Amino acid sequence: MKREDITYMGAGPAALPTDVLAQAAEALQNYEQTGLGIAEHSHRSEIAANILNTMKANLTSFLDVPSNYEILMMQGGGSGQFDATVYNIVSAWVEKQRQKIVNELGEASEDDVVRELRKKVESELRLDYLVTGSWSSKASQEAIRLLGPEYVNIASDSRKVNDGKFGKIADESTWKLSPKPTMVYMCDNETVDGVEYPNFPKVLEPTGSEEEPFVVGDFSSNILSRRIPIKNYSIVFFGAQKNLGCAGVTGVIIRKDLLVSCPPTILRKLGLPIAPTILDYCVTAKNNSLYNTLPIFDVYLAGQVLKKLLATFPDKVDGQQAEAQKKADMIYEAADAYPEVYKVVPDKSVRSRMNVCFRVIKGGNVDEAEKAFLKGAVERGITGLKGHRSVGGIRASNYNAIPVSGAEKLVAYLKEYAQA
């Protein structure tokens, strides 16, 4: 079977533009006539540094990243960032509290400073999580594992407003945020459950106060598909393997004033976890993401995707957002037209543009209907539609590399199956 015969709608690793892959395949053998493939060049070489810096510049351009933010390229995927955000934000927060205490106490011993810090930590250190799906749930569980439940607050759990299942986002008025949260964590798009925030939460919009929480956004499955109000976030992170490239690199956009860390000796005395060097944002930033061997081929691939996007959309991310919305609207409209055949899982107000999750209910036997639906899809060259193993069902992942014609192909099959 030829590549052009397949419309792959798997949730990740996801499809990549064919022309980008063709160019990357050539670079993998002989990059710019150097006689070496791109994966063979030293990560300390000028070639590697240029690839990294060009990719970062293109990402800055496409997303309009403000100048007071730093871009880091790391490893470990989005799951690695569940840990990194906790380690680094706790360290940055404690360091800022330490500096305040030192200024207030003047001449004071380290033990005196630690004593005051411990009071602050016990009374004020709180990481809030907005649990809207499988990934934000896992992030909250990781924070509890690292810090202990006394420091983690589940400010909202969408299952409580949806009969024990994910599929809605609770109204902001019901969120039980900590009085002065250190951090608020949200996953902008839940890949497994097909839920996406329609807008940035109003309750988290910055006011200019020094007491504002660090807001962390996980954009692993919808990065580059919509405009992000980056100034509303302290940290935005994203695995590459949905819209940016292949698995192996993870992007972090971080406000530069967060690039401070507390001395490990202080954190140890407070009983707080210390970031492994490889997950330390300060170390990563200081070394321009090259503290250890960065997979330069993966960075190159991401850079080529960004280069193609910039050439395709003169209005940058706004153009891609309009196309993503157009494709999603087509698919949802087709599914909604046959309520006796398809049941879209998430509430209409929070439907993901990237991951369209639905059940096939035709004939009453859902399992048999979905098996027949998937079989027919594969016969027509539409693959990767099986839902996540934890929830089942059908999931059509409508990432940026899926052309409008690919969405149209799925829509045609949705209609064909419904009318058969």
Side-chain angles (χ1 to χ4, degrees):
M1 189 173 283
K2 296 177 182 176
R3 181 177 177 86
E4 55 266 28
D5 296 330
I6 293 294
T7 297
Y8 177 65
M9 299 186 116
L16 285 159
T18 299
D19 53 347
V20 168
L21 282 177
Q23 191 172 3
E26 189 177 321
L28 197 53
Q29 295 181 70
N30 187 354
Y31 180 65
E32 294 190 348
Q33 302 306 309
T34 57
L36 284 178
I38 199 165
E40 298 166 300
H41 281 280
S42 168
H43 66 297
R44 302 290 181 204
S45 66
E46 186 179 351
I47 285 173
N50 288 341
I51 288 169
L52 175 61
N53 292 334
T54 300
M55 190 281 290
K56 287 167 60 173
N58 285 344
L59 182 62
T60 298
S61 175
F62 191 72
L63 290 181
D64 291 323
V65 177
S67 59
N68 62 325
Y69 284 74
E70 182 68 59
I71 295 172
L72 313 176
M73 296 308 293
M74 303 179 72
Q75 297 171 60
S79 296
Q81 291 304 310
F82 297 166
D83 297 288
T85 49
V86 172
Y87 286 129
N88 287 277
I89 280 178
V90 167
S91 180
W93 182 83
V94 171
E95 177 60 12
K96 290 187 176 185
Q97 302 305 317
R98 187 183 74 84
Q99 290 175 7
K100 284 181 188 175
I101 290 168
V102 167
N103 289 336
E104 288 168 4
L105 294 180
E107 292 292 326
S109 68
E110 186 175 283
D111 287 344
D112 289 338
V113 172
V114 169
R115 193 176 302 113
E116 291 303 310
L117 263 178
R118 186 171 285 113
K119 292 178 189 174
K120 276 274 187 186
V121 167
E122 290 174 357
S123 63
E124 294 183 23
L125 177 62
R126 296 294 181 274
L127 307 189
D128 283 15
Y129 284 78
L130 301 171
V131 177
T132 53
S134 300
W135 292 112
S136 49
S137 176
K138 287 185 177 181
S140 68
Q141 291 163 14
E142 190 65 3
I144 290 169
R145 190 181 73 83
L146 291 178
L147 284 179
E150 64 271 28
Y151 294 116
V152 179
N153 172 45
I154 308 301
S156 178
D157 187 331
S158 295
R159 290 169 290 195
K160 293 182 178 178
V161 296
N162 197 44
D163 299 323
K165 294 181 179 179
F166 292 121
K168 290 185 178 180
I169 294 177
D171 190 89
E172 289 180 32
S173 62
T174 68
W175 295 358
K176 293 180 171 56
L177 296 166
S178 299
K180 289 197 294 183
T182 306
M183 178 193 90
V184 180
Y185 180 103
M186 58 183 282
C187 180
D188 199 62
N189 184 79
E190 292 281 3
T191 324
V192 172
D193 307 283
V195 169
E196 186 175 32
Y197 280 85
N199 304 104
F200 184 83
K202 284 206 171 296
V203 71
L204 298 180
E205 287 179 356
T207 60
S209 165
E210 278 192 16
E211 301 295 328
E212 282 179 352
F214 300 127
V215 179
V216 174
D218 178 352
F219 280 80
S220 289
S221 54
N222 63 348
I223 192 68
L224 310 184
S225 75
R226 74 189 306 184
R227 179 165 288 281
I228 302 172
I230 292 174
K231 288 184 178 179
N232 292 356
Y233 292 93
S234 307
I235 297 170
V236 165
F237 73 79
F238 41 93
Q241 67 273 17
K242 318 288 195 200
N243 276 330
L244 183 60
C246 63
V249 285
T250 307
V252 178
I253 302 173
I254 180 171
R255 210 172 62 220
K256 290 178 180 177
D257 68 296
L258 259 79
L259 292 171
V260 295
S261 57
C262 185
T265 52
I266 301 290
L267 292 173
R268 198 173 289 117
K269 286 181 178 181
L270 293 169
L272 294 172
I274 299 163
T277 305
I278 199 66
L279 293 179
D280 189 318
Y281 292 153
C282 293
V283 171
T284 305
K286 185 179 178 181
N287 289 276
N288 189 29
S289 300
L290 294 168
Y291 172 76
N292 70 326
T293 308
L294 191 67
I296 290 298
F297 175 73
D298 299 346
V299 176
Y300 168 79
L301 197 59
Q304 293 306 301
V305 168
L306 283 161
K307 184 178 176 183
K308 179 180 172 68
L309 286 171
L310 286 166
T312 305
F313 298 105
D315 47 354
K316 300 187 288 191
V317 71
D318 294 328
Q320 178 64 80
Q321 178 170 330
E323 183 169 292
Q325 190 67 57
K326 177 183 177 180
K327 292 186 295 174
D329 288 345
M330 288 167 49
I331 298 168
Y332 283 119
E333 186 180 341
D336 287 339
Y338 301 97
E340 71 287 352
V341 179
Y342 307 113
K343 183 182 186 303
V344 177
V345 175
D347 189 75
K348 201 166 189 175
S349 62
V350 294
R351 288 178 175 179
S352 168
R353 298 160 308 117
M354 295 288 102
N355 308 103
V356 180
C357 296
F358 60 95
R359 305 306 302 254
V360 182
I361 57 176
K362 186 178 184 180
N365 188 325
V366 176
D367 286 344
E368 290 303 316
E370 289 180 345
K371 283 179 187 174
F373 179 86
L374 290 169
K375 183 173 181 290
V378 170
E379 289 169 355
R380 287 156 183 79
I382 309 170
T383 61
L385 289 176
K386 191 173 183 179
H388 192 272
R389 63 186 182 279
S390 65
V391 294
I394 309 296
R395 174 173 54 173
S397 293
N398 176 42
Y399 297 133
N400 290 350
I402 300 295
V404 173
S405 60
E408 289 171 342
K409 188 175 177 181
L410 175 61
V411 166
Y413 176 54
L414 286 169
K415 292 178 179 176
E416 180 189 345
Y417 178 86
Q419 294 168 5

